[in-house]
Amino acid sequence: MVVCVCNAIRECEVREAARQGSRTACQAYRSLGRQPKCGQCVSFARAIIDEERAAA
């Protein structure tokens, strides 16, 4: 599933970034070499990161 259309970031990429230590959507995007643009995806990315951190 695509999380960020502007940056073509997929859910699996956000999950992997969270597993590697990203705590925020901005950190996850930076770890992928990108940055949020319109911002509509940030809450969805944050929920994915929270879910991964809770499962760890």
Side-chain angles (χ1 to χ4, degrees):
M1 172 184 292
V2 175
V3 173
C4 176
V5 174
C6 298
N7 287 299
I9 297 174
R10 301 182 66 154
E11 181 178 351
C12 61
E13 293 174 299
V14 175
R15 288 189 184 281
E16 183 60 30
R19 287 185 209 117
Q20 292 180 1
S22 295
R23 294 176 165 228
T24 66
C26 289
Q27 287 177 349
Y29 288 15
R30 270 189 248 120
S31 76
L32 297 166
R34 302 177 197 135
Q35 63 183 9
K37 294 187 185 210
C38 74
Q40 290 197 334
C41 57
V42 173
S43 61
F44 184 43
R46 186 179 307 127
I48 293 167
I49 291 167
D50 291 345
E51 190 178 293
E52 281 298 316
R53 292 181 51 77

Short mmCIF file of all heavy atoms in Angstrom, two decimals:
data_model
loop_
_atom_site.label_atom_id
_atom_site.label_comp_id
_atom_site.label_asym_id
_atom_site.label_seq_id
_atom_site.Cartn_x
_atom_site.Cartn_y
_atom_site.Cartn_z
N MET A 1 0.84 -1.18 0.00
CA MET A 1 0.00 0.00 0.00
C MET A 1 0.89 1.24 0.00
O MET A 1 1.90 1.28 0.67
CB MET A 1 -0.89 -0.01 1.24
CG MET A 1 -1.65 1.26 1.44
SD MET A 1 -2.62 1.32 2.95
CE MET A 1 -3.85 0.10 2.58
N VAL A 2 0.50 2.23 -0.73
CA VAL A 2 1.23 3.49 -0.79
C VAL A 2 0.79 4.37 0.38
O VAL A 2 -0.39 4.59 0.59
CB VAL A 2 0.99 4.22 -2.13
CG1 VAL A 2 1.64 5.59 -2.13
CG2 VAL A 2 1.52 3.39 -3.28
N VAL A 3 1.77 4.85 1.14
CA VAL A 3 1.50 5.74 2.26
C VAL A 3 1.56 7.19 1.79
O VAL A 3 0.72 8.00 2.12
CB VAL A 3 2.53 5.52 3.40
CG1 VAL A 3 2.37 6.55 4.50
CG2 VAL A 3 2.39 4.11 3.96
N CYS A 4 2.60 7.50 1.02
CA CYS A 4 2.82 8.87 0.56
C CYS A 4 2.88 8.89 -0.97
O CYS A 4 3.84 8.39 -1.56
CB CYS A 4 4.11 9.42 1.15
SG CYS A 4 4.54 11.06 0.56
N VAL A 5 1.88 9.47 -1.58
CA VAL A 5 1.83 9.54 -3.03
C VAL A 5 2.89 10.53 -3.55
O VAL A 5 3.55 10.26 -4.55
CB VAL A 5 0.41 9.97 -3.51
CG1 VAL A 5 0.38 10.18 -5.00
CG2 VAL A 5 -0.60 8.93 -3.10
N CYS A 6 3.09 11.62 -2.86
CA CYS A 6 4.07 12.64 -3.30
C CYS A 6 5.47 12.06 -3.43
O CYS A 6 6.22 12.44 -4.32
CB CYS A 6 4.10 13.81 -2.32
SG CYS A 6 2.55 14.71 -2.17
N ASN A 7 5.84 11.18 -2.50
CA ASN A 7 7.19 10.62 -2.46
C ASN A 7 7.24 9.15 -2.88
O ASN A 7 8.31 8.55 -2.83
CB ASN A 7 7.77 10.74 -1.05
CG ASN A 7 8.16 12.15 -0.71
OD1 ASN A 7 9.00 12.74 -1.36
ND2 ASN A 7 7.54 12.70 0.32
N ALA A 8 6.11 8.58 -3.22
CA ALA A 8 6.03 7.16 -3.58
C ALA A 8 6.63 6.27 -2.49
O ALA A 8 7.45 5.41 -2.75
CB ALA A 8 6.69 6.90 -4.93
N ILE A 9 6.20 6.51 -1.25
CA ILE A 9 6.66 5.73 -0.11
C ILE A 9 5.60 4.68 0.21
O ILE A 9 4.43 4.99 0.37
CB ILE A 9 6.92 6.61 1.12
CG1 ILE A 9 8.04 7.61 0.82
CG2 ILE A 9 7.27 5.76 2.34
CD1 ILE A 9 8.28 8.62 1.92
N ARG A 10 6.06 3.45 0.31
CA ARG A 10 5.15 2.33 0.57
C ARG A 10 5.12 2.02 2.07
O ARG A 10 6.05 2.33 2.80
CB ARG A 10 5.60 1.11 -0.20
CG ARG A 10 5.63 1.40 -1.71
CD ARG A 10 6.01 0.20 -2.45
NE ARG A 10 4.91 -0.74 -2.24
CZ ARG A 10 4.59 -1.71 -3.05
NH1 ARG A 10 5.30 -1.91 -4.12
NH2 ARG A 10 3.59 -2.52 -2.80
N GLU A 11 4.05 1.37 2.48
CA GLU A 11 3.88 1.00 3.89
C GLU A 11 5.04 0.16 4.39
O GLU A 11 5.54 0.39 5.50
CB GLU A 11 2.56 0.23 4.05
CG GLU A 11 2.29 -0.19 5.47
CD GLU A 11 0.96 -0.92 5.63
OE1 GLU A 11 0.16 -0.97 4.68
OE2 GLU A 11 0.75 -1.45 6.73
N CYS A 12 5.51 -0.78 3.59
CA CYS A 12 6.62 -1.64 4.03
C CYS A 12 7.88 -0.83 4.29
O CYS A 12 8.67 -1.16 5.18
CB CYS A 12 6.87 -2.75 3.02
SG CYS A 12 7.34 -2.20 1.37
N GLU A 13 8.09 0.25 3.56
CA GLU A 13 9.26 1.11 3.78
C GLU A 13 9.14 1.87 5.10
O GLU A 13 10.12 2.00 5.83
CB GLU A 13 9.41 2.10 2.63
CG GLU A 13 9.78 1.46 1.31
CD GLU A 13 9.79 2.44 0.17
OE1 GLU A 13 8.72 3.05 -0.11
OE2 GLU A 13 10.86 2.60 -0.44
N VAL A 14 7.95 2.35 5.41
CA VAL A 14 7.73 3.05 6.68
C VAL A 14 7.90 2.07 7.84
O VAL A 14 8.54 2.40 8.85
CB VAL A 14 6.33 3.71 6.73
CG1 VAL A 14 6.06 4.33 8.09
CG2 VAL A 14 6.20 4.76 5.63
N ARG A 15 7.38 0.86 7.70
CA ARG A 15 7.54 -0.14 8.75
C ARG A 15 9.02 -0.48 8.98
O ARG A 15 9.46 -0.57 10.11
CB ARG A 15 6.76 -1.41 8.40
CG ARG A 15 5.27 -1.23 8.51
CD ARG A 15 4.50 -2.53 8.38
NE ARG A 15 3.08 -2.26 8.39
CZ ARG A 15 2.37 -2.02 9.49
NH1 ARG A 15 2.94 -2.03 10.66
NH2 ARG A 15 1.07 -1.79 9.41
N GLU A 16 9.77 -0.62 7.92
CA GLU A 16 11.20 -0.92 8.04
C GLU A 16 11.94 0.23 8.70
O GLU A 16 12.81 0.02 9.55
CB GLU A 16 11.81 -1.23 6.67
CG GLU A 16 13.25 -1.63 6.73
CD GLU A 16 13.54 -2.87 7.56
OE1 GLU A 16 12.66 -3.76 7.66
OE2 GLU A 16 14.64 -2.94 8.14
N ALA A 17 11.60 1.45 8.34
CA ALA A 17 12.22 2.62 8.97
C ALA A 17 11.93 2.65 10.46
O ALA A 17 12.81 2.96 11.27
CB ALA A 17 11.73 3.91 8.30
N ALA A 18 10.71 2.29 10.84
CA ALA A 18 10.34 2.24 12.26
C ALA A 18 11.14 1.16 12.98
O ALA A 18 11.62 1.37 14.10
CB ALA A 18 8.84 1.99 12.41
N ARG A 19 11.31 0.02 12.35
CA ARG A 19 12.10 -1.07 12.94
C ARG A 19 13.56 -0.66 13.12
O ARG A 19 14.24 -1.16 14.00
CB ARG A 19 12.01 -2.33 12.09
CG ARG A 19 10.67 -3.01 12.17
CD ARG A 19 10.68 -4.33 11.40
NE ARG A 19 9.33 -4.59 10.93
CZ ARG A 19 8.96 -4.65 9.67
NH1 ARG A 19 9.85 -4.55 8.70
NH2 ARG A 19 7.72 -4.87 9.34
N GLN A 20 14.02 0.24 12.26
CA GLN A 20 15.41 0.69 12.33
C GLN A 20 15.60 1.90 13.24
O GLN A 20 16.68 2.46 13.30
CB GLN A 20 15.93 0.98 10.93
CG GLN A 20 16.07 -0.27 10.09
CD GLN A 20 16.58 0.02 8.70
OE1 GLN A 20 16.87 1.16 8.33
NE2 GLN A 20 16.69 -1.02 7.90
N GLY A 21 14.53 2.31 13.92
CA GLY A 21 14.66 3.35 14.93
C GLY A 21 13.96 4.66 14.69
O GLY A 21 13.98 5.53 15.56
N SER A 22 13.34 4.85 13.56
CA SER A 22 12.60 6.10 13.31
C SER A 22 11.42 6.17 14.25
O SER A 22 10.65 5.22 14.36
CB SER A 22 12.13 6.18 11.86
OG SER A 22 13.22 6.24 10.99
N ARG A 23 11.28 7.31 14.92
CA ARG A 23 10.18 7.48 15.88
C ARG A 23 9.08 8.40 15.36
O ARG A 23 8.00 8.46 15.93
CB ARG A 23 10.71 8.05 17.19
CG ARG A 23 11.62 7.08 17.88
CD ARG A 23 12.21 7.70 19.12
NE ARG A 23 12.77 6.63 19.93
CZ ARG A 23 12.54 6.49 21.21
NH1 ARG A 23 11.81 7.36 21.86
NH2 ARG A 23 13.07 5.48 21.86
N THR A 24 9.38 9.14 14.31
CA THR A 24 8.39 10.05 13.73
C THR A 24 8.33 9.84 12.21
O THR A 24 9.24 9.26 11.62
CB THR A 24 8.76 11.52 14.00
OG1 THR A 24 9.96 11.84 13.29
CG2 THR A 24 8.93 11.81 15.48
N ALA A 25 7.28 10.36 11.62
CA ALA A 25 7.15 10.26 10.17
C ALA A 25 8.31 11.00 9.50
O ALA A 25 8.89 10.50 8.53
CB ALA A 25 5.81 10.84 9.72
N CYS A 26 8.68 12.17 10.01
CA CYS A 26 9.78 12.93 9.41
C CYS A 26 11.09 12.15 9.48
O CYS A 26 11.85 12.15 8.52
CB CYS A 26 9.91 14.29 10.08
SG CYS A 26 8.57 15.42 9.67
N GLN A 27 11.35 11.50 10.60
CA GLN A 27 12.57 10.69 10.71
C GLN A 27 12.53 9.53 9.72
O GLN A 27 13.54 9.21 9.09
CB GLN A 27 12.72 10.14 12.13
CG GLN A 27 13.14 11.16 13.14
CD GLN A 27 13.21 10.57 14.54
OE1 GLN A 27 12.75 9.45 14.80
NE2 GLN A 27 13.76 11.34 15.47
N ALA A 28 11.39 8.90 9.59
CA ALA A 28 11.25 7.78 8.65
C ALA A 28 11.49 8.26 7.23
O ALA A 28 12.23 7.62 6.47
CB ALA A 28 9.87 7.15 8.78
N TYR A 29 10.91 9.39 6.87
CA TYR A 29 11.08 9.91 5.51
C TYR A 29 12.53 10.27 5.26
O TYR A 29 13.07 9.98 4.21
CB TYR A 29 10.17 11.12 5.28
CG TYR A 29 8.71 10.77 5.18
CD1 TYR A 29 8.22 9.54 5.58
CD2 TYR A 29 7.80 11.68 4.69
CE1 TYR A 29 6.88 9.23 5.48
CE2 TYR A 29 6.45 11.38 4.59
CZ TYR A 29 6.00 10.15 4.99
OH TYR A 29 4.68 9.84 4.88
N ARG A 30 13.18 10.92 6.25
CA ARG A 30 14.59 11.28 6.10
C ARG A 30 15.45 10.04 5.92
O ARG A 30 16.40 10.05 5.14
CB ARG A 30 15.08 12.08 7.30
CG ARG A 30 14.89 13.57 7.09
CD ARG A 30 15.57 14.39 8.17
NE ARG A 30 14.49 15.01 8.93
CZ ARG A 30 14.27 14.84 10.22
NH1 ARG A 30 15.04 14.11 10.96
NH2 ARG A 30 13.26 15.43 10.80
N SER A 31 15.14 8.97 6.65
CA SER A 31 15.93 7.74 6.52
C SER A 31 15.78 7.13 5.12
O SER A 31 16.64 6.38 4.69
CB SER A 31 15.52 6.72 7.59
OG SER A 31 14.29 6.10 7.28
N LEU A 32 14.69 7.48 4.44
CA LEU A 32 14.46 7.02 3.07
C LEU A 32 14.96 8.02 2.04
O LEU A 32 14.78 7.83 0.84
CB LEU A 32 12.96 6.75 2.86
CG LEU A 32 12.36 5.65 3.74
CD1 LEU A 32 10.84 5.71 3.69
CD2 LEU A 32 12.88 4.30 3.30
N GLY A 33 15.56 9.12 2.52
CA GLY A 33 16.08 10.13 1.62
C GLY A 33 15.02 11.05 1.06
O GLY A 33 15.21 11.66 0.00
N ARG A 34 13.91 11.18 1.76
CA ARG A 34 12.80 12.02 1.29
C ARG A 34 12.29 12.89 2.43
O ARG A 34 12.71 12.74 3.56
CB ARG A 34 11.68 11.13 0.75
CG ARG A 34 12.20 10.24 -0.36
CD ARG A 34 11.14 9.30 -0.86
NE ARG A 34 11.75 8.22 -1.61
CZ ARG A 34 11.42 6.96 -1.47
NH1 ARG A 34 10.50 6.60 -0.63
NH2 ARG A 34 12.03 6.04 -2.18
N GLN A 35 11.35 13.76 2.12
CA GLN A 35 10.73 14.57 3.16
C GLN A 35 9.26 14.77 2.83
O GLN A 35 8.87 14.73 1.67
CB GLN A 35 11.43 15.92 3.29
CG GLN A 35 11.36 16.78 2.06
CD GLN A 35 12.14 18.06 2.25
OE1 GLN A 35 12.85 18.23 3.22
NE2 GLN A 35 12.00 18.97 1.31
N PRO A 36 8.42 14.95 3.87
CA PRO A 36 7.00 15.17 3.62
C PRO A 36 6.80 16.42 2.75
O PRO A 36 7.51 17.39 2.90
CB PRO A 36 6.39 15.37 5.00
CG PRO A 36 7.37 14.78 5.95
CD PRO A 36 8.71 14.94 5.31
N LYS A 37 5.83 16.35 1.87
CA LYS A 37 5.55 17.50 1.00
C LYS A 37 4.21 18.12 1.38
O LYS A 37 4.18 19.13 2.03
CB LYS A 37 5.59 17.08 -0.46
CG LYS A 37 6.99 16.66 -0.86
CD LYS A 37 7.11 16.40 -2.32
CE LYS A 37 8.51 15.88 -2.54
NZ LYS A 37 9.11 16.14 -3.73
N CYS A 38 3.11 17.48 1.03
CA CYS A 38 1.81 18.08 1.33
C CYS A 38 1.37 17.81 2.77
O CYS A 38 0.57 18.54 3.32
CB CYS A 38 0.76 17.60 0.34
SG CYS A 38 0.20 15.90 0.59
N GLY A 39 1.90 16.75 3.39
CA GLY A 39 1.61 16.47 4.79
C GLY A 39 0.40 15.60 5.06
O GLY A 39 0.17 15.21 6.19
N GLN A 40 -0.37 15.26 4.05
CA GLN A 40 -1.58 14.48 4.29
C GLN A 40 -1.28 13.05 4.74
O GLN A 40 -2.13 12.42 5.35
CB GLN A 40 -2.46 14.46 3.06
CG GLN A 40 -3.09 15.81 2.79
CD GLN A 40 -4.27 15.72 1.85
OE1 GLN A 40 -4.36 14.80 1.04
NE2 GLN A 40 -5.18 16.65 1.97
N CYS A 41 -0.10 12.56 4.46
CA CYS A 41 0.27 11.19 4.80
C CYS A 41 0.85 11.05 6.19
O CYS A 41 1.00 9.94 6.70
CB CYS A 41 1.29 10.67 3.79
SG CYS A 41 2.77 11.71 3.71
N VAL A 42 1.21 12.15 6.83
CA VAL A 42 1.95 12.10 8.09
C VAL A 42 1.18 11.35 9.18
O VAL A 42 1.76 10.52 9.88
CB VAL A 42 2.35 13.51 8.55
CG1 VAL A 42 2.97 13.50 9.93
CG2 VAL A 42 3.33 14.13 7.55
N SER A 43 -0.10 11.57 9.31
CA SER A 43 -0.86 10.88 10.36
C SER A 43 -0.93 9.38 10.10
O SER A 43 -0.84 8.58 11.04
CB SER A 43 -2.27 11.47 10.51
OG SER A 43 -3.00 11.32 9.31
N PHE A 44 -1.04 8.98 8.85
CA PHE A 44 -1.06 7.56 8.50
C PHE A 44 0.31 6.94 8.77
O PHE A 44 0.42 5.86 9.36
CB PHE A 44 -1.46 7.38 7.03
CG PHE A 44 -1.60 5.95 6.60
CD1 PHE A 44 -2.23 5.01 7.40
CD2 PHE A 44 -1.10 5.54 5.39
CE1 PHE A 44 -2.35 3.68 7.00
CE2 PHE A 44 -1.21 4.22 4.97
CZ PHE A 44 -1.83 3.30 5.78
N ALA A 45 1.37 7.63 8.38
CA ALA A 45 2.73 7.14 8.63
C ALA A 45 2.98 7.03 10.13
O ALA A 45 3.57 6.06 10.61
CB ALA A 45 3.75 8.06 7.99
N ARG A 46 2.51 8.01 10.90
CA ARG A 46 2.68 8.00 12.35
C ARG A 46 1.97 6.79 12.96
O ARG A 46 2.51 6.13 13.85
CB ARG A 46 2.13 9.29 12.95
CG ARG A 46 2.39 9.43 14.44
CD ARG A 46 1.86 10.73 15.02
NE ARG A 46 2.34 11.88 14.28
CZ ARG A 46 1.55 12.83 13.79
NH1 ARG A 46 0.25 12.77 13.93
NH2 ARG A 46 2.06 13.85 13.14
N ALA A 47 0.79 6.47 12.48
CA ALA A 47 0.05 5.31 12.99
C ALA A 47 0.80 4.02 12.70
O ALA A 47 0.85 3.12 13.55
CB ALA A 47 -1.35 5.28 12.38
N ILE A 48 1.39 3.92 11.52
CA ILE A 48 2.17 2.72 11.17
C ILE A 48 3.38 2.60 12.08
O ILE A 48 3.69 1.52 12.58
CB ILE A 48 2.59 2.77 9.69
CG1 ILE A 48 1.37 2.65 8.78
CG2 ILE A 48 3.62 1.69 9.37
CD1 ILE A 48 1.64 2.99 7.32
N ILE A 49 4.07 3.71 12.31
CA ILE A 49 5.25 3.71 13.18
C ILE A 49 4.86 3.32 14.60
O ILE A 49 5.51 2.48 15.23
CB ILE A 49 5.95 5.07 13.14
CG1 ILE A 49 6.58 5.28 11.76
CG2 ILE A 49 7.01 5.18 14.24
CD1 ILE A 49 7.02 6.71 11.48
N ASP A 50 3.78 3.88 15.11
CA ASP A 50 3.29 3.53 16.46
C ASP A 50 2.96 2.06 16.56
O ASP A 50 3.26 1.40 17.56
CB ASP A 50 2.07 4.39 16.84
CG ASP A 50 2.40 5.84 17.05
OD1 ASP A 50 3.61 6.18 17.20
OD2 ASP A 50 1.46 6.66 17.07
N GLU A 51 2.34 1.52 15.52
CA GLU A 51 1.99 0.10 15.49
C GLU A 51 3.25 -0.78 15.54
O GLU A 51 3.29 -1.76 16.27
CB GLU A 51 1.19 -0.16 14.20
CG GLU A 51 0.55 -1.52 14.12
CD GLU A 51 -0.24 -1.63 12.83
OE1 GLU A 51 -1.26 -0.91 12.71
OE2 GLU A 51 0.15 -2.43 11.96
N GLU A 52 4.24 -0.41 14.77
CA GLU A 52 5.50 -1.18 14.75
C GLU A 52 6.21 -1.10 16.10
O GLU A 52 6.73 -2.08 16.59
CB GLU A 52 6.44 -0.66 13.65
CG GLU A 52 6.09 -1.16 12.29
CD GLU A 52 6.17 -2.67 12.15
OE1 GLU A 52 7.13 -3.29 12.64
OE2 GLU A 52 5.25 -3.23 11.54
N ARG A 53 6.21 0.08 16.70
CA ARG A 53 6.89 0.24 18.00
C ARG A 53 6.16 -0.52 19.10
O ARG A 53 6.80 -1.06 19.99
CB ARG A 53 6.99 1.73 18.34
CG ARG A 53 7.96 2.45 17.39
CD ARG A 53 8.11 3.92 17.69
NE ARG A 53 8.41 4.24 19.07
CZ ARG A 53 9.61 4.10 19.63
NH1 ARG A 53 10.61 3.66 18.92
NH2 ARG A 53 9.79 4.44 20.89
N ALA A 54 4.85 -0.61 19.02
CA ALA A 54 4.07 -1.36 20.01
C ALA A 54 4.32 -2.85 19.88
O ALA A 54 4.31 -3.58 20.88
CB ALA A 54 2.59 -1.05 19.86
N ALA A 55 4.56 -3.31 18.66
CA ALA A 55 4.79 -4.74 18.42
C ALA A 55 6.21 -5.17 18.81
O ALA A 55 6.46 -6.35 18.99
CB ALA A 55 4.55 -5.06 16.95
N ALA A 56 7.12 -4.20 18.93
CA ALA A 56 8.53 -4.54 19.23
C ALA A 56 8.73 -4.94 20.67
O ALA A 56 8.02 -4.72 21.55
CB ALA A 56 9.41 -3.34 18.90
#
